[in-house]
């Protein structure tokens, strides 16, 4: 990267950092009530780089940032796709073709057999990018929008952050949505600079301010089995234990199953979800 390109890159990043709204990152005012602009240490933290390295980037120092660093900074500064491509070009990288959101590949037959065998426990298969690739009859009853959704946008995070029916069923929506996002982030760490991950984050940012705020909180957490509660319009108050299974012969898929607990309206409710009543 030659000096003019370094200077241009630094100037653009500095301008965008000073223009963003702090409320978009769930951050309060600074200084004398200033509501715009991030500190360098804040964008460095969000992007997973040191403050010194980010400062050198803005100053146009003679350094060689990786593509992953440029992608991370672009995403966290909420750059448009045109701006993102521009900063990649300045850093000497050819912009990747942006993948369209696509329907996930069909799951192997034995995975669908497992899902069906888990009825009446609502169960579904997630891809590495949390697309809902397959499900059983009870899950279809629990999440009414899964069957009608565009297959290319049948994503669990999209359901949680954009589907009002799903939000209405979750009595602790704020806590639940952030927990799911923290778990996704933990799993996505190795793919953080990948085009599919970048595309998904940009897509969800455009759809949901709640997603943007939660994503910028940078929370990370490993999956743990836990109790899940749904206030279902037809099934009533449903209480499950959520478990996660990873098939050894399909390690890119996660089987998530909601095991019914004998509480609330659960016993009769799950039978209705499975079409048994």
């Amino acid at each position: 990267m030659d000096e003019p390109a370094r200077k241009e890159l630094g100037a653009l990043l500095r301008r965008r950092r000073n223009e963003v709204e702090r409320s978009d990152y769930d951050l309060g005012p600074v200084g004398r009530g200033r509501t715009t602009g991030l500190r360098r240490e804040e964008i460095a933290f969000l992007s997973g780089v040191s403050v010194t390295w980010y400062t050198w980037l803005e100053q146009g120092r003679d350094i060689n940032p990786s593509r992953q660093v440029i992608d991370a900074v672009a995403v966290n500064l909420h750059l448009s796709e045109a701006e993102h491509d521009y900063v990649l070009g300045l850093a000497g990288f050819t912009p990747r073709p942006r993948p369209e959101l696509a329907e996930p590949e069909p799951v192997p037959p034995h995975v669908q057999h497992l899902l069906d065998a888990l009825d009446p426990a609502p169960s579904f298969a997630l891809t590495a990018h949390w697309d809902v690739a397959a499900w059983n009859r009870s899950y279809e009853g629990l999440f009414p929008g899964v069957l009608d959704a565009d297959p290319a946008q049948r994503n669990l995070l999209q359901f949680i952050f954009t589907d009002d029916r799903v939000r209405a069923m979750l009595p602790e929506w704020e806590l639940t949505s952030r927990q799911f996002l923290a778990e996704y982030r933990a799993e996505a760490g190795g793919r953080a600079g990948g085009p599919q991950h970048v595309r998904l984050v940009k897509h969800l940012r455009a759809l949901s301010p709640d997603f943007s705020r939660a994503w910028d909180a940078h929370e990370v957490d490993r999956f743990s089995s836990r109790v899940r509660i749904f206030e279902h319009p037809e099934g009533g108050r449903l209480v499950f234990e959520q478990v996660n299974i990873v098939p050894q012969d399909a390690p890119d898929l996660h089987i998530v199953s909601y095991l019914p607990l004998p509480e609330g309206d659960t016993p009769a409710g799950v039978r209705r979800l499975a079409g048994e009543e």
Side-chain angles (χ1 to χ4, degrees), residues 6 29 34 50 52 78 119 125 167 172 183 226 230 250 260:
R6 295 198 305 270
R34 182 165 59 88
S50 72
T52 299
H78 302 181
D119 254 328
R167 184 183 291 228
E172 295 182 324
E183 291 170 356
R226 60 185 183 274
F230 297 87

Side-chain angles (χ1 to χ4, degrees), residues 1-3 5-6 9 57 61-65 87 90-92:
M1 187 166 38
D2 60 25
E3 183 176 1
R6 295 198 305 270
L9 174 62
L57 199 60
R61 298 281 192 96
D62 188 8
I63 58 175
N64 295 303
V87 297
L90 289 173

Side-chain angles (χ1 to χ4, degrees), residues 6-269:
R6 295 198 305 270
K7 295 297 185 184
E8 172 69 5
L9 174 62
L12 188 148
L13 296 181
R14 186 167 56 253
R15 177 176 60 80
R16 292 294 290 123
R17 178 174 59 83
N18 289 325
E19 289 176 347
V20 296
E21 295 290 335
R22 295 185 61 79
S23 60
D24 290 344
Y25 296 81
D26 208 16
L27 295 172
V30 291
R32 299 180 178 179
R34 182 165 59 88
T35 60
T36 59
L38 296 179
R39 297 187 179 99
R40 282 175 173 163
E41 55 265 31
E42 290 169 333
I43 192 62
F45 171 76
L46 290 173
S47 303
V49 298
S50 72
V51 178
T52 299
W53 185 261
Y54 181 78
T55 300
W56 287 351
L57 199 60
E58 278 198 1
Q59 290 176 344
R61 298 281 192 96
D62 188 8
I63 58 175
N64 295 303
S66 69
R67 184 186 194 109
Q68 185 168 343
V69 165
I70 296 297
D71 278 337
V73 171
V75 168
N76 287 297
L77 282 177
H78 302 181
L79 299 190
S80 68
E81 290 194 356
E83 290 171 326
H84 192 157
D85 287 347
Y86 182 59
V87 297
L88 281 171
L90 289 173
F93 300 108
T94 302
R96 295 186 182 110
R98 291 239 171 20
E100 296 296 325
L101 296 174
E103 182 176 355
E105 294 292 327
V107 302
H110 69 275
V111 170
Q112 186 63 61
H113 294 162
L114 173 60
L115 294 172
D116 293 338
L118 288 168
D119 254 328
S123 306
F124 56 101
L126 280 181
T127 69
H129 294 283
W130 282 34
D131 294 320
V132 180
W135 57 90
N136 63 12
R137 183 170 53 177
S138 293
Y139 184 76
E140 190 174 309
L142 179 66
F143 279 77
V146 69
L147 185 62
D148 299 330
D150 181 339
Q153 300 192 36
R154 196 177 275 143
N155 182 276
L156 183 60
L157 294 177
Q158 182 161 330
F159 285 140
I160 290 172
F161 282 96
T162 69
D163 192 318
D164 290 338
R165 293 169 297 182
V166 173
R167 184 183 291 228
M169 286 195 298
L170 302 176
E172 295 182 324
W173 179 86
E174 181 73 26
L175 177 63
T176 301
S177 62
R178 284 183 174 259
Q179 178 70 35
F180 269 109
L181 191 54
E183 291 170 356
Y184 170 77
R185 192 163 209 151
E187 292 181 11
R191 303 184 303 276
Q196 286 181 288
H197 169 80
V198 170
R199 183 67 173 176
L200 176 63
V201 171
K202 281 183 171 287
H203 175 69
L204 294 176
R205 279 194 190 279
L207 292 178
S208 171
D210 288 321
F211 173 86
S212 287
R213 285 189 291 271
W215 184 257
D216 290 332
H218 222 71
E219 295 170 351
V220 181
D221 196 11
R222 290 292 185 189
F223 172 83
S224 60
S225 296
R226 60 185 183 274
V227 172
R228 295 291 312 283
I229 300 174
F230 297 87
E231 298 289 351
H232 196 273
E234 297 178 6
R237 184 176 178 82
L238 306 174
V239 185
F240 301 102
E241 181 179 14
Q242 177 182 318
V243 298
N244 191 358
I245 305 166
V246 180
Q248 283 192 323
D249 52 359
D252 289 336
L253 293 175
H254 287 238
I255 308 300
V256 180
S257 186
Y258 299 143
L259 304 181
L261 296 177
E263 302 176 29
D265 303 314
T266 310

